[in-house]
Amino acid sequence: MKDLRRYLALKYIQYLVLSSSNTVSTLLGLLGSAYTMILLQSAKVSSKSTAVLISSLAQADILVFLSLVSDVVWGSFGAGVSPAASALARILLTANAHVSCVLLSCVALEAYLITFLPSESRPLRTVRNARLLSRVIWMLVAAECALFLVDDHLRASSASAPSRGPLGLLFQLSSAAAALLRSLSYVLGILLRIVNVYIYYKIFFSMSPR
């Protein structure tokens, strides 16, 4: 449907084109996700693997909404946002961005398979596999963000953290793992941008009149 294609275009611009989020793109993304979740409940939208991925993409914006709500709630106390609340809001936004980028790439990959390998890829492009893939993505990103939260907590209490012994080793391993994941996330983000541009470049020219 045209509305779903417009929503995907909006999300690609928001997460894979813009270098950073801004108020306008965030609000448009939230409105688009709310409309898409309502639209996907319609009987006019067939239950296909692409619809499952788009639904999961729209649900990821719930994290953005929760982040905004937490900022408003903590700010209403008058003392400003606490470091813990700020860290939680930041982690929610990180989870949203990472889930959305990977799901958008999955949608692009599926479009590539539909265009160039429709028959061969049909056994893979099932609703069951799409739901399983979405769950795996959410679990991996949740584990990543849990590690970031642990690392932030350990850094905040670094003055009292032991430098030796098992706890000191745990602190060092957690910091190293979090730093490695942050570096990998940056590299993966660049690779996803390149792959998405390549996929849609191939699709566009394959559908253009020769």
Side-chain angles (χ1 to χ4, degrees):
M1 295 180 65
K2 290 184 178 180
D3 288 341
L4 293 181
R5 288 196 290 268
R6 293 191 187 100
Y7 173 70
L8 287 175
L10 170 64
K11 285 300 176 179
Y12 276 111
I13 294 173
Q14 182 180 359
Y15 290 107
L16 297 175
V17 176
L18 297 178
S19 57
S20 60
S21 61
N22 56 67
T23 304
V24 174
S25 64
T26 299
L27 291 177
L28 287 176
L30 286 172
L31 291 174
S33 294
Y35 173 73
T36 299
M37 284 191 284
I38 295 173
L39 183 64
L40 289 172
Q41 302 302 316
S42 171
K44 295 180 181 179
V45 180
S46 59
S47 179
K48 294 183 178 179
S49 55
T50 304
V52 173
L53 295 175
I54 294 176
S55 176
S56 187
L57 174 65
Q59 291 168 13
D61 268 5
I62 295 175
L63 300 176
V64 178
F65 178 74
L66 292 177
S67 175
L68 295 175
V69 169
S70 67
D71 285 343
V72 172
V73 170
W74 284 99
S76 64
F77 287 102
V81 181
S82 68
S86 178
L88 178 59
R90 185 174 65 254
I91 289 297
L92 289 173
L93 292 177
T94 299
N96 166 260
H98 290 184
V99 168
S100 298
C101 287
V102 177
L103 285 172
L104 284 169
S105 298
C106 291
V107 173
L109 178 59
E110 186 172 52
Y112 181 89
L113 294 175
I114 291 172
T115 304
F116 297 103
L117 299 168
S119 301
E120 298 86 344
S121 64
R122 187 171 290 112
L124 298 175
R125 295 183 288 104
T126 63
V127 171
R128 180 177 178 275
N129 287 343
R131 287 173 179 166
L132 178 61
L133 179 61
S134 297
R135 292 192 190 102
V136 170
I137 292 172
W138 276 94
M139 287 189 294
L140 290 176
V141 173
E144 174 197 31
C145 291
L147 180 60
F148 288 161
L149 279 176
V150 171
D151 182 59
D152 289 341
H153 175 72
L154 291 176
R155 287 179 182 275
S157 58
S158 59
S160 58
S163 58
R164 297 181 180 179
L167 292 179
L169 179 61
L170 178 62
F171 174 78
Q172 295 174 6
L173 289 176
S174 175
S175 297
L180 178 62
L181 267 179
R182 287 188 173 97
S183 299
L184 289 177
S185 297
Y186 176 76
V187 174
L188 181 60
I190 295 176
L191 289 176
L192 289 180
R193 285 174 170 85
I194 296 173
V195 169
N196 277 271
V197 169
Y198 173 78
I199 287 175
Y200 283 110
Y201 169 85
K202 292 284 289 184
I203 292 175
F204 175 78
F205 281 100
S206 71
M207 298 177 65
S208 299
R210 300 182 182 277

